[in-house]
Every structure is written in structure tokens, then in C-alpha cells.
Amino acid sequence: MPDTSALAVCVGEGLVSFVPATAGPLEEARTFHRSLAGAEWNTAIALASAGIRTAVVSRVGDDGFGRFLTAELRQHGVDGRGIEIDPDAPTGLYVKELSSGPDGSIDGTMHYYRSGSAASAMSPDTFESSPASDLLAESALVHTSGITPALSDSTRAAQDALFDAPREGRLISFDVNWRPALWRGREDEGRAVIASYARRADIVFCTQPDAEAVFGTADPDRLRELFPEARYLIATSRSGAVSFDGSERTESEALDVPVVESIGAGDAFAAGFLAGILTGLSLTGSLARAHRIATRALISTRDHVV
Ligand SMILES: Nc1ncnc2c1ncn2[C@@H]1O[C@H](COP(=O)(O)OP(=O)(O)O)[C@@H](O)[C@H]1O
Ligand SMILES: O=C(O)C(=O)C[C@H](O)[C@H](O)COP(=O)(O)O
């Protein structure tokens, strides 16, 4: 039977993450756990796991890490035909440095090894050739984030091309994902760039700390005033979300679960919400699905269970 369900396309950089087996300075770390990372790729995997037909449009290097990432996508049922392989640039990486607090809690700092990566050479041309162009033309939803335009001038031009293309009923979803390390020395420009996408998207996700850091307010109602254009605006926090569908405002609570790893919860949350919208759930139903899928990321380790 032909698959006639709506197609979601996620655009952004896939990364390989390395997390040390034990907390401590990186110079002392001997063993690392390798897994797939990258906000939009996490969301793609969680969307596919939620039963949504999903593709990624991106670029990876012609190296073992790129092959690892594309194999992971395939294994989770994500269409990777829109990923270009760059013979000259490497796949991006990040390494987490873990430190343990006096109360035994573990905190992590991210170190990126992604400048000059294959994905940072994404440009409007990336969307012009088949199969990426066909996937985008067929998509009911395109999901991207504030990470993509931070990577390079050409990725920013690519993001502009995505947002400026005729929508023809397609929804554009944008997760703010403020990464100050990628905007170092040009933070104000970064804030303005991110605000410009939030103003043009149909669906906007923003965490409380990002709202504070980028827009100067963590108040969801103030955020709604700043971005009245988006049909859906979802302001998240660890404890829940305040969401708007037009003028309808809904508060929803996060589920109470034992957290193993919090990275990727927001990406999974976005996937759950988008899966709800794409399958015709109400705002409340989509939020319930979002919290449920975020929970799966929280209670699992970094090997994708979502
Ligand atoms: N400690 C937690 N307990 C339960 N759910 C959580 C927790 N942290 C995150 N979540 C879930 O993930 C969603 C997004 O969390 P948030 O902290 O805003 O995003 P991010 O993980 O991107 O920083 C929350 O609304 C909730 O559904
Ligand atoms: O920083 C980047 O460039 C990444 O994409 C790395 C991570 O995979 C996501 O950032 C996780 O994002 P959260 O779901 O918001 O915790």
C-alpha cells in the first residue's frame, strides 16, 4: 500500500557526540560513549519513532562518522536520501566534559569540533538538487532551529531560502535553540537573526532560559506579544509548557520521571508536538504527546530510544 501520510523534513547538522564514561577533566577521560546528536536529527528520529514519515536534509563528510550518522537515521526509519556527502570536509563532532557537583549531580559542558564541517557548507544550493528538492516540495512540515544559521554565512542563507520559499500549505517549525558558543563575539547579531526566524515561522519552540537569553523575558505571555505571527508558540520549561494556538492559551505539566540525561528532551518534545499536529490532534493532545515523548529521552541514555 502506498504511504500517503504527511512528510516531515528536518534541516540541520548531525553531529557525533562523545561523552566520557566518567566525570572529570577531558585530559583524564579515556573512554567515551559515542552517539548521534544534533538537535534537528534528534527531532527527526523521534518523529519517525512516533510514526511520522520523516526525512533529513543535510550534509556529512565522506568519513566513518558520517556513515555512522546516516546508518543511525536509516535504522530509525528516517529517510536520509537528502543528505549530501562532502568529499572535502569532515562530519561535525562534539565532546561533553562532565563535572560532578558537591551534591553528586553531574553537569556537562559541550565542546564543539564543527567549524568547517560538511554541514556548515549547507547553502541554498543544498535544496536545489534532487532528492532534497523533491523531499522539500513534498513536505507538509519543515523543522529547523537557531543552530543552523549560527554555523556559517551559507547556512544562514540556506535557512533564509527555506523561510522565504512559497509555503504552499507547508508549515515551518523553528526551535530557538540558542547556542551562545556558536555566536561568540556576535551575540547581538545572533539574537536578531533568531528573532527574525521566530517572526516568520508557523510553529516556534522556546525554552525558558533561551527566552531570557535571546528575547530578555521568560514570561510566555510577553513572548506571545513579541511573536504574535506564529500560529503555535510553545514556551517550555522543565516543569511544563505554556502554549498558544492563535489566541488559545494552554498550560501543560511535564511528567514526573527519574531523569537519566536531560540533553535532547527539547528535541524530543518538539517531535511529539509536531507529530500531534501532523496527525490532527488538538493543542492539548499534541502537548500530551510532546511531554510523553520528551520523557522517553529523559529516562534513556544517549542511544536513541525515542
Ligand atoms: N526534569 C524534567 N522532568 C520531566 N520532564 C522534563 C524535564 N526536563 C525536561 N522535560 C521535558 O522536556 C520539555 C522541554 O524541556 P526544556 O527544559 O524546556 O527543554 P530543553 O531540554 O531543550 O532544555 C519539558 O516541557 C518536559 O516535557
Ligand atoms: O548544540 C548542538 O548543536 C546540538 O545540536 C547538540 C544536541 O544534540 C542538542 O543541542 C540537544 O538539544 P536539547 O534538546 O535542547 O537538549
Side-chain angles (χ1 to χ4, degrees):
M1 266 214 348
D3 184 356
T4 52
S5 61
L7 173 70
V9 175
C10 298
V11 180
E13 179 164 34
L15 298 165
V16 183
S17 83
F18 289 90
V19 180
T22 49
L26 271 188
E27 48 273 45
E28 288 167 18
R30 287 171 171 274
T31 310
F32 293 82
H33 183 78
R34 177 199 64 171
S35 57
L36 175 147
E40 298 85 354
W41 289 47
N42 286 338
T43 299
I45 287 178
L47 271 167
S49 306
I52 302 297
R53 202 155 59 92
T54 308
V56 160
V57 168
S58 187
R59 307 183 84 251
V60 293
D62 185 10
D63 50 31
F65 290 137
R67 287 186 282 281
F68 162 68
L69 291 180
T70 49
E72 283 280 293
L73 283 190
R74 217 175 14 254
Q75 211 180 341
H76 287 90
V78 177
D79 184 340
R81 285 175 302 141
I83 300 172
E84 258 175 22
I85 299 177
D86 186 329
D88 301 315
T91 302
L93 312 179
Y94 88 72
V95 180
K96 204 165 170 186
E97 184 158 25
L98 301 175
S99 52
S100 42
D103 58 349
S105 62
I106 303 276
D107 214 358
T109 309
M110 308 251 250
H111 300 280
Y112 291 128
Y113 297 83
R114 70 196 300 182
S115 78
S117 68
S120 55
M122 276 191 287
S123 74
D125 289 348
T126 310
F127 308 139
E128 292 302 324
S129 54
S130 177
S133 56
D134 301 333
L135 291 165
L136 287 164
E138 192 199 334
S139 63
L141 176 123
V142 174
H143 175 73
T144 183
S145 88
I147 296 171
T148 307
L151 301 177
S152 69
D153 289 346
S154 72
T155 57
R156 182 162 154 194
Q159 185 107 311
D160 281 331
L162 271 187
F163 277 67
D164 292 343
R167 302 263 166 113
E168 292 158 352
R170 175 180 314 116
L171 295 170
I172 298 268
S173 161
F174 178 70
D175 192 334
V176 165
N177 275 341
W178 174 242
R179 298 290 181 266
L182 299 176
W183 293 103
R184 201 163 285 141
R186 48 185 191 119
E187 287 83 355
D188 284 344
E189 181 193 350
R191 290 186 183 96
V193 166
I194 286 186
S196 83
Y197 295 121
R199 225 165 266 129
R200 286 183 279 163
D202 301 293
I203 306 173
V204 176
F205 299 95
C206 188
T207 67
Q208 210 166 45
D210 284 1
E212 185 80 57
V214 184
F215 310 121
T217 177
D219 174 2
D221 297 299
R222 177 74 193 118
L223 215 54
R224 187 48 164 165
E225 282 167 20
L226 290 174
F227 300 104
E229 301 91 343
R231 161 137 189 215
Y232 301 101
L233 175 75
I234 303 98
T236 61
S237 70
R238 256 178 238 175
S239 58
V242 177
S243 311
F244 300 87
D245 171 357
S247 57
E248 182 189 343
R249 181 188 194 279
T250 303
E251 288 190 28
S252 54
E253 274 185 30
L255 303 173
D256 188 10
V257 289
V259 177
V260 176
E261 164 68 76
S262 67
I263 289 190
D267 306 334
F269 178 95
F273 184 82
L274 297 175
I277 295 301
L278 286 173
T279 52
L281 294 186
S282 64
L283 180 65
T284 315
S286 300
L287 288 165
R289 196 160 184 190
H291 288 300
R292 210 165 50 239
I293 291 187
T295 297
R296 287 197 226 158
L298 291 161
I299 61 174
S300 67
T301 51
R302 290 304 295 145
D303 278 326
H304 279 276
V305 179
V306 287

